[in-house]
Amino acid sequence: MKKFRARRNMSRIDFKALILSENKHFVLINKPASISVLEDRNDATNILGMARAHYPDMQAAHRLDKETSGVLALAKTPEAYRHLAMQFEARTVVKSYHAVLDGIAQFKNETVALPLFQTAGGKVRVHKGRGKEATTILDTIEVFKKHCLVHCRPVTGRTHQIRVHLQAMGFPITGDHLYGGRSFLLSQVKPDYRLQAYKEERPLMNRIALHAARLEFKDIDGASISVEAPYPKDFKALLSQLRKNR
């Protein structure tokens, strides 16, 4: 039963409709939230599996967390994969994320350099003794009543880097329960909010409020590739409510 459900869910997603940009070396897509990039033992639905139905040799040049939406680069050939992997290793790829945070942060070209250590359970924490170098640059884009929209540029690419660095700064990402974030409820910002009797208020966004907004790197011939991913519906709805109830 579980296998049938996974295949059915995969068939609902049109991989071609996710494509933002494509050439003979790379495909860049706007990855939906709640879908793993690689195969997940708990869910057969994954981006790479869908991609290989169209391009058998496709490889994921990098990863996004399952609950994170936005730009994802896929390599069509081994040569393209190695070419982009080297750029990630050299830290020349420009990665831009947008995140909604709990609290009002006034970041202005703020550099967070805190070493990160991944525990056996998969959770990441700041650890100056055992952690690996990790750097993120932060800029506040917009401020709301109890939240803010922030541009995050990770220089390094550690697991959960943005999430843990923001938690360490005292501003966890909205909806990121693993690292101290709270669910966004309309009642938090809307004074006249009324809930129907015997009903429990549900979060407006059922995931972490993090979106990979832009990715920039060099193609094999040296030309610059720069792609932006529009916000998905849930992220736009969250920002709309924050702006209405500023």
Side-chain angles (χ1 to χ4, degrees):
M1 180 64 70
K2 288 184 178 179
K3 289 183 179 180
F4 172 76
R5 187 178 295 116
R7 285 195 294 269
R8 184 182 64 184
N9 290 342
M10 184 179 290
S11 66
R12 290 177 180 176
I13 300 171
D14 181 1
F15 178 79
K16 291 285 189 177
L18 303 179
I19 295 176
L20 297 168
S21 178
E22 179 178 2
N23 63 21
K24 63 182 180 181
H25 302 125
F26 299 101
V27 174
L28 288 98
I29 68 167
N30 192 355
K31 173 191 156 326
S34 302
I35 300 179
S36 298
V37 175
L38 305 181
E39 185 175 354
D40 187 329
R41 62 184 178 182
N42 298 317
D43 188 355
T45 305
N46 62 85
I47 292 297
L48 195 56
M50 289 188 287
R52 285 178 173 170
H54 300 276
Y55 310 94
D57 296 326
M58 190 78 83
Q59 296 186 71
H62 62 118
R63 300 183 192 182
L64 296 176
D65 290 344
K66 184 175 181 177
E67 297 304 319
T68 301
S69 57
V71 184
L72 178 74
L74 302 165
K76 289 183 175 180
T77 65
E79 180 188 11
Y81 174 81
R82 288 192 297 270
H83 179 75
L84 185 49
M86 289 174 63
Q87 292 179 70
F88 274 108
E89 187 175 350
R91 300 177 184 172
T92 58
V93 178
V94 177
K95 299 165 287 182
S96 296
Y97 291 75
H98 288 181
V100 174
L101 312 185
D102 292 339
I104 299 174
Q106 297 287 1
F107 296 127
K108 187 175 182 180
N109 199 33
E110 180 93 22
T111 298
V112 182
L114 295 171
L116 301 179
F117 173 74
Q118 187 168 6
T119 66
K123 191 173 182 179
V124 178
R125 61 190 179 95
V126 175
H127 196 300
K128 293 185 179 179
R130 301 173 64 186
K132 295 181 179 180
E133 173 197 3
T135 303
T136 308
I137 300 171
L138 306 172
D139 282 283
T140 298
I141 300 172
E142 195 171 354
V143 171
F144 309 106
K145 189 175 181 180
K146 297 180 180 179
H147 300 78
C148 60
L149 176 66
V150 171
H151 173 218
C152 313
R153 186 164 67 85
V155 179
T156 49
R158 308 298 180 196
T159 300
H160 296 179
Q161 175 176 314
I162 294 173
R163 299 164 65 180
V164 179
H165 275 175
L166 286 167
Q167 179 195 38
M169 296 297 286
F171 300 97
I173 300 176
T174 300
D176 190 359
H177 301 146
L178 184 62
Y179 295 109
R182 300 187 302 272
S183 296
F184 179 82
L185 303 174
L186 274 178
S187 59
Q188 296 172 349
V189 297
K190 197 172 182 180
D192 59 348
Y193 180 81
R194 295 291 182 270
L195 185 66
Q196 293 182 2
Y198 307 110
K199 287 194 175 183
E200 183 180 353
E201 185 179 2
R202 296 182 178 181
L204 183 65
M205 189 174 185
N206 292 311
R207 66 172 177 100
I208 176 174
L210 181 63
H211 178 71
R214 186 170 68 90
L215 190 70
E216 184 176 344
F217 60 94
K218 296 294 184 182
D219 202 347
I220 289 178
D221 62 3
S224 179
I225 294 177
S226 180
V227 174
E228 295 185 4
Y231 292 148
K233 290 182 179 179
D234 59 354
F235 205 98
K236 287 193 290 187
L238 174 61
L239 288 177
S240 176
Q241 288 299 329
L242 288 170
R243 287 165 180 155
K244 285 180 183 178
N245 299 284
R246 197 186 300 268

